Short mmCIF file of all heavy atoms in Angstrom, two decimals:
data_model
loop_
_atom_site.label_atom_id
_atom_site.label_comp_id
_atom_site.label_asym_id
_atom_site.label_seq_id
_atom_site.Cartn_x
_atom_site.Cartn_y
_atom_site.Cartn_z
N ALA A 291 34.63 14.23 -37.72
CA ALA A 291 33.36 14.44 -38.42
C ALA A 291 33.25 15.88 -38.91
O ALA A 291 32.77 16.13 -40.03
CB ALA A 291 32.20 14.11 -37.48
N LEU A 292 33.70 16.83 -38.11
CA LEU A 292 33.69 18.23 -38.54
C LEU A 292 34.58 18.44 -39.77
O LEU A 292 34.20 19.15 -40.71
CB LEU A 292 34.17 19.12 -37.40
CG LEU A 292 33.19 19.38 -36.25
CD1 LEU A 292 33.91 20.03 -35.08
CD2 LEU A 292 32.05 20.26 -36.72
N ILE A 293 35.73 17.82 -39.77
CA ILE A 293 36.63 17.92 -40.92
C ILE A 293 35.98 17.30 -42.15
O ILE A 293 36.02 17.88 -43.25
CB ILE A 293 37.98 17.25 -40.62
CG1 ILE A 293 38.70 18.00 -39.49
CG2 ILE A 293 38.85 17.19 -41.86
CD1 ILE A 293 39.94 17.29 -38.99
N GLY A 294 35.37 16.13 -41.98
CA GLY A 294 34.73 15.45 -43.10
C GLY A 294 33.58 16.26 -43.68
O GLY A 294 33.46 16.40 -44.91
N VAL A 295 32.73 16.81 -42.82
CA VAL A 295 31.61 17.62 -43.28
C VAL A 295 32.12 18.85 -44.03
O VAL A 295 31.59 19.23 -45.08
CB VAL A 295 30.73 18.04 -42.09
CG1 VAL A 295 29.76 19.14 -42.48
CG2 VAL A 295 29.96 16.84 -41.55
N GLY A 296 33.18 19.47 -43.49
CA GLY A 296 33.73 20.65 -44.15
C GLY A 296 34.31 20.34 -45.51
O GLY A 296 34.10 21.09 -46.47
N LEU A 297 35.04 19.22 -45.63
CA LEU A 297 35.63 18.86 -46.92
C LEU A 297 34.55 18.58 -47.96
O LEU A 297 34.74 18.90 -49.15
CB LEU A 297 36.52 17.62 -46.74
CG LEU A 297 37.82 17.86 -45.95
CD1 LEU A 297 38.56 16.54 -45.75
CD2 LEU A 297 38.72 18.86 -46.67
N LEU A 298 33.43 18.00 -47.55
CA LEU A 298 32.34 17.76 -48.49
C LEU A 298 31.81 19.09 -49.04
O LEU A 298 31.43 19.18 -50.20
CB LEU A 298 31.21 16.98 -47.81
CG LEU A 298 31.49 15.50 -47.53
CD1 LEU A 298 30.37 14.89 -46.70
CD2 LEU A 298 31.65 14.74 -48.84
N ASN A 299 31.78 20.11 -48.20
CA ASN A 299 31.31 21.42 -48.67
C ASN A 299 32.30 22.10 -49.60
O ASN A 299 31.91 22.90 -50.45
CB ASN A 299 31.05 22.34 -47.47
CG ASN A 299 29.66 22.17 -46.90
OD1 ASN A 299 29.07 21.10 -47.01
ND2 ASN A 299 29.14 23.21 -46.27
N LEU A 300 33.57 21.78 -49.44
CA LEU A 300 34.60 22.44 -50.25
C LEU A 300 34.74 21.83 -51.65
O LEU A 300 35.47 22.37 -52.48
CB LEU A 300 35.95 22.38 -49.53
CG LEU A 300 36.02 23.18 -48.23
CD1 LEU A 300 37.38 23.01 -47.57
CD2 LEU A 300 35.74 24.67 -48.49
N ARG A 301 34.06 20.73 -51.87
CA ARG A 301 34.08 20.16 -53.22
C ARG A 301 33.41 21.12 -54.19
O ARG A 301 32.46 21.81 -53.85
CB ARG A 301 33.34 18.81 -53.26
CG ARG A 301 33.99 17.72 -52.45
CD ARG A 301 33.25 16.42 -52.64
NE ARG A 301 31.82 16.58 -52.35
CZ ARG A 301 30.92 15.62 -52.55
NH1 ARG A 301 31.29 14.46 -53.07
NH2 ARG A 301 29.65 15.82 -52.25
N ARG A 302 33.86 21.14 -55.42
CA ARG A 302 33.29 22.07 -56.40
C ARG A 302 32.01 21.50 -56.99
O ARG A 302 31.95 21.12 -58.16
CB ARG A 302 34.30 22.36 -57.50
CG ARG A 302 35.51 23.14 -57.02
CD ARG A 302 36.40 23.55 -58.17
NE ARG A 302 37.51 24.37 -57.74
CZ ARG A 302 38.42 24.89 -58.55
NH1 ARG A 302 38.33 24.66 -59.84
NH2 ARG A 302 39.40 25.63 -58.08
N LYS A 303 31.00 21.47 -56.15
CA LYS A 303 29.70 21.00 -56.60
C LYS A 303 28.64 21.91 -56.01
O LYS A 303 28.81 22.45 -54.93
CB LYS A 303 29.44 19.56 -56.17
CG LYS A 303 30.31 18.54 -56.88
CD LYS A 303 29.89 17.14 -56.47
CE LYS A 303 30.72 16.08 -57.21
NZ LYS A 303 30.30 14.71 -56.84
N GLY A 304 27.55 22.04 -56.72
CA GLY A 304 26.44 22.84 -56.21
C GLY A 304 25.66 22.05 -55.18
O GLY A 304 25.99 20.92 -54.86
N PRO A 305 24.60 22.64 -54.65
CA PRO A 305 23.78 21.96 -53.67
C PRO A 305 23.11 20.74 -54.29
O PRO A 305 22.86 20.70 -55.49
CB PRO A 305 22.73 23.01 -53.27
CG PRO A 305 22.69 23.95 -54.43
CD PRO A 305 24.07 23.99 -54.99
N GLU A 306 22.86 19.71 -53.46
CA GLU A 306 22.19 18.53 -53.98
C GLU A 306 20.88 18.93 -54.64
O GLU A 306 20.18 19.82 -54.18
CB GLU A 306 21.90 17.54 -52.83
CG GLU A 306 23.08 16.68 -52.46
CD GLU A 306 24.03 17.38 -51.49
OE1 GLU A 306 23.92 18.60 -51.35
OE2 GLU A 306 24.87 16.68 -50.88
N ARG A 307 20.56 18.28 -55.74
CA ARG A 307 19.41 18.68 -56.52
C ARG A 307 18.14 18.68 -55.69
O ARG A 307 17.31 19.58 -55.79
CB ARG A 307 19.25 17.74 -57.72
CG ARG A 307 18.09 18.10 -58.62
CD ARG A 307 18.09 17.21 -59.85
NE ARG A 307 19.33 17.36 -60.61
CZ ARG A 307 19.62 16.65 -61.69
NH1 ARG A 307 18.77 15.73 -62.13
NH2 ARG A 307 20.76 16.83 -62.31
N SER A 308 17.98 17.66 -54.82
CA SER A 308 16.76 17.59 -54.04
C SER A 308 16.71 18.65 -52.96
O SER A 308 15.72 18.81 -52.29
CB SER A 308 16.61 16.21 -53.40
OG SER A 308 17.77 15.86 -52.71
N GLY A 309 17.82 19.39 -52.75
CA GLY A 309 17.80 20.48 -51.80
C GLY A 309 16.90 21.61 -52.26
O GLY A 309 16.54 22.49 -51.48
N LEU A 310 16.52 21.63 -53.54
CA LEU A 310 15.61 22.64 -54.05
C LEU A 310 14.17 22.21 -53.90
O LEU A 310 13.26 22.94 -54.24
CB LEU A 310 15.93 22.91 -55.53
CG LEU A 310 17.35 23.41 -55.81
CD1 LEU A 310 17.56 23.56 -57.30
CD2 LEU A 310 17.63 24.71 -55.09
N GLU A 311 13.95 21.02 -53.37
CA GLU A 311 12.60 20.53 -53.14
C GLU A 311 12.19 20.81 -51.71
O GLU A 311 12.89 21.46 -50.95
CB GLU A 311 12.54 19.04 -53.48
CG GLU A 311 12.95 18.76 -54.92
CD GLU A 311 13.09 17.27 -55.19
OE1 GLU A 311 12.84 16.47 -54.27
OE2 GLU A 311 13.47 16.92 -56.31
N ASP A 312 11.02 20.29 -51.30
CA ASP A 312 10.49 20.58 -49.98
C ASP A 312 11.06 19.69 -48.89
O ASP A 312 10.80 19.91 -47.72
CB ASP A 312 8.96 20.46 -49.99
CG ASP A 312 8.31 21.55 -50.84
OD1 ASP A 312 8.91 22.63 -50.93
OD2 ASP A 312 7.24 21.30 -51.40
N THR A 313 11.79 18.66 -49.26
CA THR A 313 12.41 17.78 -48.26
C THR A 313 13.88 17.62 -48.62
O THR A 313 14.25 17.61 -49.79
CB THR A 313 11.74 16.39 -48.24
OG1 THR A 313 11.80 15.82 -49.55
CG2 THR A 313 10.29 16.50 -47.82
N PRO A 314 14.77 17.49 -47.60
CA PRO A 314 16.20 17.34 -47.88
C PRO A 314 16.49 15.96 -48.43
O PRO A 314 15.76 15.00 -48.16
CB PRO A 314 16.84 17.53 -46.50
CG PRO A 314 15.78 17.11 -45.53
CD PRO A 314 14.48 17.51 -46.17
N PRO A 315 17.54 15.81 -49.23
CA PRO A 315 17.91 14.51 -49.74
C PRO A 315 18.33 13.57 -48.62
O PRO A 315 18.82 14.01 -47.58
CB PRO A 315 19.08 14.81 -50.68
CG PRO A 315 19.64 16.10 -50.19
CD PRO A 315 18.47 16.86 -49.66
N ARG A 316 18.13 12.27 -48.84
CA ARG A 316 18.43 11.30 -47.80
C ARG A 316 19.88 11.31 -47.36
O ARG A 316 20.15 11.16 -46.16
CB ARG A 316 18.02 9.90 -48.28
CG ARG A 316 16.51 9.72 -48.37
CD ARG A 316 16.15 8.30 -48.77
NE ARG A 316 14.70 8.13 -48.84
CZ ARG A 316 14.11 6.99 -49.17
NH1 ARG A 316 14.86 5.93 -49.47
NH2 ARG A 316 12.80 6.92 -49.20
N PRO A 317 20.86 11.46 -48.28
CA PRO A 317 22.25 11.51 -47.81
C PRO A 317 22.49 12.63 -46.80
O PRO A 317 23.22 12.44 -45.82
CB PRO A 317 23.05 11.73 -49.09
CG PRO A 317 22.20 11.16 -50.17
CD PRO A 317 20.80 11.49 -49.76
#
Side-chain angles (χ1 to χ4, degrees):
L292 284 168
I293 295 172
V295 167
L297 290 175
L298 287 173
N299 274 27
L300 294 178
R301 295 184 306 174
R302 293 187 176 182
K303 290 185 178 181
E306 278 84 344
R307 181 175 300 176
S308 51
L310 301 177
E311 301 171 2
D312 293 331
T313 56
R316 290 184 179 179

